Amino acid sequence: MVAIEVVKSELVFPSEETPKHRLWISNTDIMFATKLPTPMIYVYHPNGDPDFFNVEMLKAGLSKALVPFYPLAGRLAKDRDGRLEVDCGRQGVLVVVARSDSGIDDFGEFLPSPELCRMLTPSIPSEDPDILFMTQVTFFKGGEVILGTVWCHVIGDGLSAMNFISTWSRITRGVVSNLDIHPLHDRTLLRARSPPKVLFNHVGNQLPACAATTTGPSATSILPLTKSQLALLTTNNKISTFCAISAHVWKCVSIARGLARDQAVQLKFVVNVRRRMKPPLPDDYFGNAVCRMVVVSTADDVLSNPIEVVGNKIRDEIRKVDEEYVRSFIDHFEMSPTKGAKPPASSAKFSLTPTMADFAMASWIGMPIYDADFGWGKPEIVRIAAITDGQYAYIMEIPKGGGVLVLVSLEEENMERFKEGFYEGLNMHGTIRTD
């Protein structure tokens, strides 16, 4: 059992004066209000520098990074109408320093779990429940360091989080000044129309009034796919890597669950809309610039069709997303009666996939998840510390070799069948067509 001792816990504030105001946020932010914060870990090995992961340097860099990213140092709040907003009042972010007499080998492959999250990332303080960002630096007996972060999804999507971590790391190692960083904070660019105009059927998309529970205990697995295994999924299929992997996972999940052939099933995922708007939003738009998409099918369609057909269903859903679709999506949420929902307490659990007919995917392919070099090298391992959304799979690149990792959370009773089918099913997709 790994023992972690907290040495110090303190708030860090922006190094300069920052705007103090209430920040209006979009419906694309509020739709994540019932989602638990996202915990991440970054694993570093010592490089011989006696100042390896100097905490004061990390805090100084963080303090400077909070100047351009000042809303992150604020707190969730509500306006007079009960609608969520961000109180940009320089309340600070939490920094925890910890140590352990154990080695990091005791963590094995860093399988996402509530226990891993509890040990390596900070818990939301009961006296400060609306905090937006926290980090923990844990030093191990072999000199290794694990940096844990906790990110409130209402403040920004995955790209926003990774852009912030990248900025913090670059400022800390002295290759950029905070004066050169200009994230876009104007979320009115994704404001609903007046009156709202819903032109599409946004099936399966609603703001839950409260946290939902899943059908039972979950298990988590990490499944690597080599470059050659990826080729089995994508060769001769005119679909993206995301669509191919998602189709394969969806088929394997449906088999593992033993669903009836006429069972209606849903696959959920988000699409980055920055470059789909007119004019496009910049990559440094700070917020949730995403649409949540839902592919609706039957278990029979998913199981009986080849991967290209299932992948095309996913691709077709992604292709819907243009300026008009995004506006309709935002307007759809504008008409929801639960726009004022706040994130659940740490004891609650929101599930995007509350039934065994649901599954969700997230892709970090092409995103700068390893761009977290604070001056002592890039992390050797990056993981989500716990999958808190329900039955879900995350796709992330492996730094070397061209492969990916698929991190899967599934019902405990179905996980072994899923893992067996995951690799056995690859060969079924690898037949080269000659027509």
Side-chain angles (χ1 to χ4, degrees):
M1 179 68 178
V2 178
I4 305 291
E5 177 191 3
V6 172
V7 177
K8 189 175 185 181
S9 181
E10 63 181 311
L11 291 172
V12 169
F13 305 92
S15 61
E16 303 170 22
E17 283 299 315
T18 55
K20 293 184 179 180
H21 64 102
R22 294 290 184 116
L23 178 67
W24 183 91
I25 61 177
S26 171
N27 291 339
T28 56
D29 301 309
I30 293 175
M31 73 178 181
F32 290 104
T34 50
K35 182 184 184 302
L36 289 173
T38 303
M40 298 289 296
I41 58 169
Y42 303 78
V43 182
Y44 300 84
H45 286 77
N47 66 349
D49 186 338
D51 270 341
F52 183 66
F53 265 80
N54 181 293
V55 173
E56 294 306 314
M57 293 175 63
L58 284 174
K59 292 193 299 183
L62 177 58
S63 182
K64 292 178 181 177
L66 288 173
V67 176
F69 288 92
Y70 70 91
L72 200 57
R75 295 293 184 270
L76 282 182
K78 287 188 176 183
D79 65 15
R80 292 179 180 178
D81 298 324
R83 191 181 191 279
L84 274 180
E85 61 184 7
V86 177
D87 176 12
C88 301
R90 291 174 52 86
Q91 293 95 328
V93 302
L94 182 66
V95 176
V96 175
V97 181
R99 66 185 179 190
S100 175
D101 291 331
S102 300
I104 65 168
D105 290 344
D106 293 340
F107 290 105
E109 60 179 346
F110 291 94
L111 189 68
S113 69
E115 185 68 9
L116 186 74
C117 184
R118 183 190 64 78
M119 288 189 289
L120 299 177
T121 68
S123 298
I124 298 175
S126 58
E127 71 279 7
D128 195 5
D130 297 320
I131 194 168
L132 298 174
F133 180 75
M134 304 181 292
T135 187
Q136 176 175 316
V137 188
T138 307
F139 295 86
F140 290 84
K141 71 175 183 180
E144 304 91 348
V145 167
I146 296 179
L147 178 73
T149 64
V150 177
W151 178 272
C152 176
H153 211 317
V154 175
I155 196 64
D157 54 22
L159 184 57
S160 295
M162 293 172 195
N163 283 343
F164 172 73
I165 298 296
S166 175
T167 298
W168 174 20
S169 67
R170 288 185 293 147
I171 289 175
T172 301
R173 73 176 189 264
V175 299
V176 69
S177 165
N178 59 3
L179 300 177
D180 300 324
I181 306 298
H182 305 285
L184 178 61
H185 296 299
D186 182 8
R187 303 188 187 203
T188 64
L189 295 169
L190 295 178
R191 187 189 291 274
R193 294 172 289 199
S194 182
K197 187 166 59 174
V198 179
L199 301 177
F200 297 85
N201 179 16
H202 301 286
V203 60
N205 272 304
Q206 61 277 327
L207 291 173
C210 60
T213 56
T214 53
T215 53
S218 297
T220 306
S221 292
I222 299 175
L223 304 171
L225 287 173
T226 64
K227 186 176 181 179
S228 59
Q229 287 172 323
L230 280 177
L232 293 175
L233 293 176
T234 57
T235 298
N236 292 322
N237 291 327
K238 297 178 181 179
I239 52 177
S240 68
T241 300
F242 170 73
C243 289
I245 295 175
S246 297
H248 177 60
V249 168
W250 199 13
K251 289 169 77 72
C252 294
V253 166
S254 299
I255 293 170
R257 286 172 165 171
L259 298 177
R261 288 282 176 161
D262 60 352
Q263 171 69 57
V265 293
Q266 294 187 140
L267 183 71
K268 303 180 181 182
F269 54 91
V270 297
V271 174
N272 180 358
V273 305
R274 286 170 175 80
R275 298 183 184 180
R276 296 171 184 266
M277 305 300 292
K278 293 182 179 179
L281 299 177
D283 285 345
D284 61 3
Y285 174 87
F286 189 68
N288 288 283
V290 295
C291 278
R292 182 182 292 151
M293 310 302 292
V294 182
V295 182
V296 180
S297 189
T298 64
D300 184 61
D301 283 342
V302 173
L303 293 172
S304 61
N305 281 306
I307 190 171
E308 184 174 9
V309 173
V310 180
N312 282 337
K313 283 180 174 286
I314 300 168
R315 182 196 62 187
D316 291 346
E317 197 69 21
I318 295 171
R319 285 180 172 177
K320 291 180 183 178
V321 184
D322 57 13
E323 165 83 14
E324 192 56 48
Y325 186 92
V326 176
R327 295 297 174 191
S328 175
F329 180 85
I330 294 170
D331 291 352
H332 166 73
F333 280 108
E334 186 67 13
M335 300 171 70
S336 168
T338 56
K339 289 184 297 178
K342 291 194 73 172
S346 58
S347 60
K349 185 175 182 181
F350 164 68
S351 176
L352 184 62
T353 56
T355 76
M356 283 182 59
D358 303 311
F359 198 74
M361 300 289 303
S363 174
W364 292 340
I365 295 174
M367 297 179 72
I369 58 174
Y370 291 93
D371 191 8
D373 180 359
F374 293 87
W376 303 286
K378 292 186 176 184
E380 297 193 16
I381 296 172
V382 178
R383 292 279 191 276
I384 188 167
I387 299 177
T388 60
D389 313 276
Q391 315 315 311
Y392 219 109
Y394 287 82
I395 309 170
M396 55 189 300
E397 290 170 303
I398 299 172
K400 299 177 182 178
V404 302
L405 295 178
V406 183
L407 285 66
V408 180
S409 175
L410 192 63
E411 302 88 15
E412 192 175 74
E413 60 182 321
N414 298 324
M415 180 58 84
E416 287 306 312
R417 287 195 299 274
F418 172 82
K419 290 194 294 184
E420 291 171 6
F422 185 81
Y423 289 110
E424 290 175 0
L426 288 177
N427 294 326
M428 296 171 57
H429 306 312
T431 303
I432 305 298
R433 295 185 308 187
T434 58
D435 55 319

